[in-house]
């Protein structure tokens, strides 16, 4: 018997008196947790040497083969009063052969902030697309477009109608140099950038002031009683007389404006004379 016990390892589970296995070391064995209840257990290993001394080692562990349990509405040591709604869910036991993820998702309504965020994003993208939407020149000057929008070129002067490309240069330059502030539709941005449609400078018979503003810029002047903190940058360095004339004529014949157009020579005279302001 003594010989039997020496150099043997006995493995006990929890408080059981009988070892679940006895081996001669070293040994590798398989603990089948599926036979155990979920919860806390202890594995106790007892080894005896030739002189009869015992070494004991206890290893606490936890088994979880059953489904995970999700509780909403109640936490450890919560203080409860009255009736408390509690949402329970269970998912994914280790013994389940087919794992259905949808059952792991505890049902909860989409939070309001997510809807608000979605709405904001959608509204912003719609606004952005509308802002960026530039009607192609060929289409913008076609009768179809003006028919639908009333914004086409049917107010253009005879001079421009005869040279369509000139109007296109003006529209293109306006789009690249001016529309970021005054907007493609010439409406500006209230309080930040003045509108150019139905504007007294843009529709004035005498274009001198109009030419000066494009060439030399403008700052700190109230327009129709509105102060604009931003400055209108000067364009005399970037744009030729011809280009300035094309832009001015685009402004003067777009968005319902119908004012006399200017020539590159007129622009050149103002450029030479300098800012009268
Ligand atoms: C950086 C923004 C910005 C850009 C780009 C810009 N402007 Fe302006 N523009 C302004 C601001 C701001 C004012 C008003 C300044 C003030 O009130 O002192 C203004 C004023 C004007 C005015 C005078 C309106 C009036 O009634 O006095 C005209 C005309 C004008 N801009 C045309 C243009 C044209 C044409 C271009 C392109 C070549 C252009 N702007 C580019 C910001 C801009």
């Amino acid at each position: 018997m003594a010989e039997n016990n020496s150099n043997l390892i006995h493995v006990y589970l929890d408080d059981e008196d009988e070892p679940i296995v006895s081996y001669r070391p070293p040994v590798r064995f398989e603990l089948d947790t599926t036979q155990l209840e979920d919860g806390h257990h202890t594995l106790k290993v007892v080894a005896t040497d030739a002189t009869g001394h015992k070494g004991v080692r206890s290893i606490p562990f936890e088994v979880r083969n059953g489904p995970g349990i999700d509780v909403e509405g109640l936490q450890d040591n919560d203080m409860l009063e009255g009736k408390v709604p509690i949402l329970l869910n269970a998912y994914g036991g280790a013994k389940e052969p087919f794992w259905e993820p949808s059952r792991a998702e505890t049902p909860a309504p989409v939070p309001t902030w997510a809807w608000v965020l979605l709405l904001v994003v959608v509204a912003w993208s719609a606004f952005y697309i509308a802002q960026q939407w530039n009607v192609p020149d060929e289409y913008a000057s076609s009768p179809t477009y003006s028919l639908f929008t009333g914004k086409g070129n049917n107010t253009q002067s005879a001079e421009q109608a005869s040279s369509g490309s000139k109007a296109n240069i003006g529209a293109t330059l306006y789009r690249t140099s001016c529309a970021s502030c005054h907007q493609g539709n010439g409406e500006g941005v209230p309080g930040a950038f003045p509108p150019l449609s139905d504007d007294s400078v843009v529709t004035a018979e005498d274009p001198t002031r109009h030419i000066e503003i494009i060439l030399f810029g403008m700052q700190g002047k109230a327009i129709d009683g509105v102060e604009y903190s931003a400055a209108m940058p000067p364009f005399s360095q970037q744009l030729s007389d011809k280009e300035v004339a094309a832009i001015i004529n685009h402004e003067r014949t777009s968005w319902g404006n119908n004012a006399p157009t200017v020539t590159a020579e007129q622009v050149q005279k103002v450029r030479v004379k300098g800012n009268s302001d």
Side-chain angles (χ1 to χ4, degrees):
M1 189 66 192
E3 204 207 350
N4 247 0
N5 266 342
S6 68
N7 273 334
L8 264 189
I9 286 183
H10 301 285
V11 180
Y12 301 86
L13 192 61
D14 297 332
D15 297 328
E16 281 170 33
D17 295 330
E18 287 297 311
I20 52 169
V21 287
S22 300
Y23 294 110
R24 218 165 270 284
V27 70
R28 190 189 294 274
F29 86 106
E30 201 168 61
L31 179 67
D32 184 2
T33 67
T34 62
Q35 303 304 318
L36 302 178
E37 228 168 75
D38 279 11
H40 294 278
H41 297 274
T42 311
L43 195 74
K44 191 166 88 173
V45 183
V46 179
T48 315
D49 69 9
T51 64
H53 281 115
K54 275 187 179 176
V56 178
R57 192 145 165 222
S58 293
I59 306 144
F61 64 97
E62 192 178 343
V63 171
R64 208 211 83 188
N65 284 315
I69 293 175
D70 194 33
V71 182
E72 229 164 80
L74 179 65
Q75 287 182 337
D76 289 1
N77 304 318
D78 267 0
M79 184 88 75
L80 301 184
E81 280 175 357
K83 290 184 180 167
V84 180
I86 293 176
L87 183 61
L88 298 179
N89 195 8
Y91 52 88
K95 286 186 206 164
E96 252 178 83
F98 299 110
W99 156 235
E100 171 52 71
S102 70
R103 278 184 29 222
E105 286 159 18
T106 305
V110 178
T112 319
W113 65 262
W115 286 117
V116 172
L117 191 71
L118 181 75
L119 263 174
V120 168
V121 170
V122 167
W124 180 81
S125 45
F127 172 77
Y128 187 78
I129 290 168
Q131 287 284 300
Q132 298 300 308
W133 172 255
N134 286 319
V135 181
D137 287 335
E138 309 81 63
Y139 182 47
S141 53
S142 74
T144 323
Y145 182 68
S146 43
L147 199 71
F148 278 125
T149 62
K151 275 188 193 169
N153 71 343
N154 47 5
T155 53
Q156 271 190 350
S157 69
E159 186 202 342
Q160 279 183 324
S162 63
S163 59
S165 65
K166 206 168 170 185
N168 284 351
I169 292 171
T172 307
L173 285 170
Y174 177 84
R175 225 160 36 218
T176 52
S177 305
C178 324
S180 55
C181 293
H182 295 287
Q183 307 302 304
N185 58 8
E187 301 288 351
V189 175
F193 306 113
L196 301 177
S197 64
D198 202 18
D199 173 75
S200 59
V201 169
V202 175
T203 56
E205 286 288 314
D206 178 358
T208 311
R209 182 72 193 129
H210 192 177
I211 299 172
E212 281 176 354
I213 290 173
I214 314 302
L215 284 177
F216 308 121
M218 176 178 181
Q219 190 166 10
K221 294 251 165 62
I223 300 169
D224 286 340
V226 182
E227 296 259 4
Y228 294 95
S229 56
M232 161 77 196
F235 285 89
S236 58
Q237 301 299 311
Q238 288 104 299
L239 301 175
S240 71
D241 294 337
K242 241 180 161 170
E243 289 169 331
V244 170
I247 292 182
I248 286 179
N249 290 342
H250 175 68
E251 291 176 287
R252 287 178 159 252
T253 56
S254 301
W255 322 304
N257 291 347
N258 193 4
T261 55
V262 303
T263 61
E265 290 74 50
Q266 282 172 285
V267 175
Q268 197 239 340
K269 275 188 195 136
V270 175
R271 192 194 284 270
V272 169
K273 203 173 77 186
N275 199 349
S276 73
D277 198 25

